[in-house]
Amino acid sequence: HAWRDRAVERDGLSGLLAFDAEESAPRDRSSSAAPPPLEGALALKKPHKFRADTWARRYVVVDGSKGELALFYSAADAKAPGKRPYLAFDLRVCGAFAKHDKGAKSDPARFSVDVGDHSVKLKAPTAQDADAWVAGLRKWQDHILLGTAASMV
C-alpha cells in the first residue's frame, strides 16, 4: 500500500491520518473531496445450509449521500429513481474490508465486508478489480466518517 492509516486524537475528535511511503510527514485526509464514484457488477455469495454455496450477480453502488453500500439486482434498478436496493449496509458501521485468504483455497478476486453480525462475501471479475473495490470502499468509509465528524463540530 502507498499509505496506511493510524487513528489519532485531535481536538477531542478521532481521525485518520494518511502516510505516504515517500513522505515522512502525515497528511490529513479530513478535508479531502469525495472519492470517485464506486459502482459495478459483482457476485454476491449466497450461503445455503444444506447445499453448495451459490453466487448471484448484483450491481453494487456506494451511495455517498446516504453513506451506504447498496446492492441492486441490476444496473437498471440502481439507476431507476426511487428504486430500493436489494441489500444496503451503512458504511459508518461496516468493519473490515478484507481480501479472501484461505491458504490453498485463496481467491484473489474475492473480498468480504464485515457488516456486524456477519460478513458479506463479494467477488469481482479480476483480482485487480477486487483490489480497487477494497481500496475504494476504504476511501469512501474514511470520507463518510470524517465528514460526519466534521459536521458534528
Side-chain angles (χ1 to χ4, degrees):
H1 295 284
W3 55 270
R4 58 187 169 88
D5 289 335
R6 180 173 62 102
V8 296
E9 177 100 7
R10 180 182 42 144
D11 300 329
L13 294 175
S14 293
L16 294 174
L17 292 177
F19 289 85
D20 197 334
E22 293 78 35
E23 298 175 7
S24 59
R27 55 187 163 79
D28 191 351
R29 287 187 291 161
S30 61
S31 63
S32 65
L38 189 59
E39 64 181 71
L42 296 174
L44 169 68
K45 187 173 185 181
K46 300 179 76 170
H48 294 283
K49 207 172 219 177
F50 300 109
R51 61 180 185 189
D53 293 332
T54 58
W55 291 89
R57 187 177 168 96
R58 296 290 179 255
Y59 195 79
V60 183
V61 177
V62 172
D63 186 346
S65 64
K66 294 181 182 175
E68 64 184 21
L69 176 65
L71 284 75
F72 292 90
Y73 285 108
S74 67
D77 285 351
K79 294 177 186 352
K83 183 74 172 179
R84 294 178 54 128
Y86 165 75
L87 286 173
F89 304 103
D90 189 344
L91 283 172
R92 292 176 293 232
V93 296
C94 285
F97 305 108
K99 294 290 300 263
H100 179 70
D101 187 14
K102 297 281 186 182
K105 294 184 177 183
S106 251
D107 184 352
R110 285 177 57 180
F111 62 97
S112 62
V113 179
D114 180 10
V115 294
D117 59 345
H118 68 284
S119 289
V120 176
K121 294 164 184 68
L122 299 166
K123 186 174 183 176
T126 67
Q128 293 81 14
D129 290 337
D131 291 338
W133 270 97
V134 169
L137 286 168
R138 287 179 180 150
K139 287 178 187 176
W140 268 106
Q141 187 179 46
D142 288 349
H143 174 74
I144 290 165
L145 287 173
L146 294 174
T148 302
S151 67
M152 295 172 70
V153 175

